[in-house]
Amino acid sequence: MTAIGIHDIAIATGHHVLELDDLAERLGVDPAKYHVGIGQDAFSVPAPDEDIVTMGAAAAKEIIDRHGVEGIRTVLFATESGVDQSKAAGVFVHGLLGLPQSVRVVELKQACYGGTAAVQLALGIVARAPHERVLVIAADVARYDVDTAAEPTQGAGAAAVLVTADPDLIEIEPAAGVFTADVDDFWRPNDRSTALVDGRLSVTAYVDAFVGAWDDLVAQGGPGYEDIVRWVHHQPFTKMAIKAHRKLAQHVGQPFDDAELALGFTYNKQTGNTYTASIWIALAALLDLDDELDGQRIAMFSYGSGSVGELLTGIVRPGYRAHRREGRVRSLLEARVPLTVDAYRELHAAGAATSEDTERPRVTTAPYRFAGVRGGARRYEPTTQD
Ligand code: CAA
C-alpha cells in the first residue's frame, strides 16, 4: 500500500514578540510562574497589518516555493480566529499565492483541533487520488482579555502542511484515537474577539480527551505505548502537555520523565498558543531538532476545547533529516521585534476585527500584508510591490 502522510511543514509567526519577563514585572508576578509553572517564555504578537491570512499565506508560500502547485487541488484552512463569517480565509491565500482556479478551498473550525481534522480529510483525499497533494493551512491569533489569568498564554502563528503520497517526512498510520465531550472549557461567542476560558476546567478536559483518545486508539488496533518513541502535543502552554502525559503514563502503568517532551516545546515556548497551528509547530520542532527519528514511530495529540481530541501516529521516513529546514524557524523567532507591555496592550486593544473602512500602517516584513478594509471587504497585498 502507498504510504500517505506529511511531505513538508512550514511555519510563520507574528512580527512582534512580548517577553513574559516584561509582563511578569508589570503584573508583579514571579517570572518563574510563567517559565516553570506554565512553561512559556514569550508570545508572538501580530503587527497591525498581519492576521491569520497573512501568516497562513507566508507559511503556504514556503511550501509552494519548494514544491510548486502541481497536483494541489484542495486547500483546507483551519482556524479558531476566522476573519469573516462567510468567506474562507484560504480563498484570500489562494489569491495572494496565485494558485490555479481548479482548486477547492474551505475553512474548518473546532477550536484548536481544526488543523488535525484538515489533515485527516487530506489523507482521505490523497488515499483516493494519490497523484493529488493537499495544502493544509492552520493559523491563529490567540487572544484573551488583558489582566486575566489567561493573558500570558496568548500567541500567534501558522503552519502549512503538505499532505501527499510517498511523503518525505512522516507516513501517517491508519488507526487514530478520537474523543468528543461537550464541555464549556473555552469558547468564543460571535460578538467577541477574545476567548472566554475556564482555565482549570480546560486542564481536566484536555487530560480526559488525551486518555480517552488513547483508549480509543488501542481499541482501533493502534500501537502499544512502548512502541512509540516520541510524542508531540497541542500546547496551549507547554506545562499542559506535561500534565496530560503524566496522567497517560499512570493510566498505562509506564514510567515518564518530563524531559522526554522537551524538544517538541522549543518553538511553542516562544510563539505562545497558536491554537490550530500549535501541534504542527511542535512537530516541526521535533523533526528539526531530534536526529534519532529515522523509521521511528511518533504520536501526535491534538485537542480543541469544547471539546475534541485526536491521537495520530506516524512513522518518520528514513532520510527525513535531508528535508528539514534547520535554523529557519529559529531565525524567524529571532527576527521578531520586541514590544513593551504598553505597546503590546495598545495593539491588543486595536486588534478586534472590524468591517469599518480602515487603512493599516505598513509594519510587517512578512511576504503579505493586510492593507485594511475598503467597502467593508478585507484587502490583502504583497508587502513588496514589484
Ligand atoms: N514558580 C514556579 N511555579 C509557579 C510559581 C512560581 N513562583 N507560581 C505559580 N506556579 C505554578 C503553580 O503552582 C501552577 O502549577 P500547577 O498547575 O502545576 O499546579 C502554575 O504555576 C499556574 O499557576 P496557577 O494555577 O495559579 O495559574 P493561574 O490561575 O494564573 O492560571 C492557567 C494558569 C489556568 C493556565 C491560565 O493561564 C489560563 O487559563 N490559560 C488559558 C487556558 C488554556 O489555554 N487552556 C487550554 C485550552 S486548550 C486551547 O488551546 C484552546 C483551544 O482549543 C482553542
Side-chain angles (χ1 to χ4, degrees):
M1 208 170 84
T2 316
I4 300 172
I6 297 176
H7 192 55
D8 200 359
I9 305 176
I11 305 301
T13 190
H15 180 72
H16 291 294
V17 59
L18 182 75
E19 295 295 336
L20 287 183
D21 283 343
D22 295 337
L23 188 64
E25 188 182 342
R26 166 64 67 90
L27 299 178
V29 168
D30 179 352
K33 173 173 174 180
Y34 297 156
H35 296 298
V36 182
I38 63 171
Q40 292 299 124
D41 296 333
F43 63 77
S44 293
V45 180
D49 55 348
E50 289 180 322
D51 64 11
I52 56 157
V53 171
T54 64
M55 292 188 296
K61 179 179 187 301
E62 269 194 48
I63 297 283
I64 300 299
D65 286 350
R66 293 203 277 261
H67 304 283
V69 298
E70 200 189 329
I72 297 182
R73 292 177 50 78
T74 307
V75 175
L76 304 174
F77 196 119
T79 187
E80 186 273 354
S81 37
V83 292
D84 192 281
Q85 293 283 56
S86 175
K87 183 172 178 175
V91 175
F92 292 114
V93 175
H94 177 277
L96 286 169
L97 266 55
L99 297 179
Q101 285 193 310
S102 50
V103 167
R104 62 174 77 83
V105 182
V106 72
E107 186 168 306
L108 292 95
K109 175 180 72 178
Q110 175 29 54
C112 308
Y113 166 72
T116 305
V119 166
Q120 275 291 15
L121 296 179
L123 293 167
I125 289 170
V126 177
R128 199 179 56 173
H131 58 284
E132 290 193 21
R133 304 185 297 167
V134 177
L135 178 60
V136 172
I137 303 169
D140 268 303
V141 179
R143 280 167 51 81
Y144 299 101
D145 286 337
V146 299
D147 287 323
T148 61
E151 185 177 15
T153 62
Q154 299 177 102
V161 177
L162 189 63
V163 174
T164 69
D166 193 19
D168 280 345
L169 297 180
I170 301 174
E171 173 184 2
I172 303 291
E173 295 185 290
V178 291
F179 179 92
T180 290
D182 187 354
V183 186
D184 290 332
D185 61 328
F186 167 112
W187 67 104
R188 190 165 63 78
N190 282 345
D191 59 351
R192 291 185 62 97
S193 71
T194 51
L196 296 169
V197 61
D198 179 337
R200 301 285 159 84
L201 180 60
S202 77
V203 175
T204 54
Y206 182 116
V207 172
D208 289 350
F210 185 36
V211 174
W214 170 260
D215 286 344
D216 187 53
L217 180 67
V218 172
Q220 297 298 311
Y225 185 89
E226 58 288 353
D227 299 322
I228 297 170
V229 303
R230 299 283 189 278
W231 293 77
V232 289
H233 299 251
H234 166 56
Q235 296 159 25
F237 50 97
T238 63
K239 187 73 170 289
M240 177 79 103
I242 291 175
K243 283 171 186 274
H245 213 97
R246 285 177 187 160
K247 263 285 158 42
L248 181 67
Q250 238 174 33
H251 181 68
V252 297
Q254 293 283 338
F256 166 66
D257 180 342
D258 296 354
E260 288 173 33
L261 302 182
L263 284 182
F265 291 169
T266 311
Y267 300 156
N268 287 283
K269 273 176 177 272
Q270 295 295 325
T271 60
N273 195 355
T274 55
Y275 292 166
T276 53
S278 168
I279 185 174
W280 309 111
I281 294 178
L283 178 61
L286 184 74
L287 294 172
D288 280 355
L289 303 171
D290 192 324
D291 292 336
E292 311 292 331
L293 299 177
D294 269 343
Q296 300 287 0
R297 178 177 284 112
I298 64 173
M300 296 154 270
F301 177 63
S302 176
Y303 174 77
S305 291
S307 66
V308 178
E310 179 155 355
L311 185 55
L312 300 173
T313 63
I315 307 294
V316 178
R317 303 283 273 181
Y320 73 102
R321 275 175 294 176
H323 303 288
R324 59 190 184 180
R325 324 283 156 191
E326 282 169 88
R328 168 74 185 137
V329 178
R330 204 171 284 279
S331 61
L332 271 179
L333 294 171
E334 283 168 5
R336 291 175 301 173
V337 177
L339 290 172
T340 63
V341 175
D342 284 339
Y344 136 69
R345 287 199 167 179
E346 215 172 287
L347 279 178
H348 187 283
T354 174
S355 59
E356 282 174 23
D357 282 12
T358 56
E359 286 295 320
R360 294 297 171 124
R362 286 186 172 274
V363 180
T364 184
T365 51
Y368 304 104
R369 64 183 296 274
F370 169 44
V373 177
R374 283 174 224 143
R378 295 174 84 84
R379 307 289 172 195
Y380 294 91
E381 62 189 17
T383 302
T384 318
Q385 311 272 8
D386 29 39

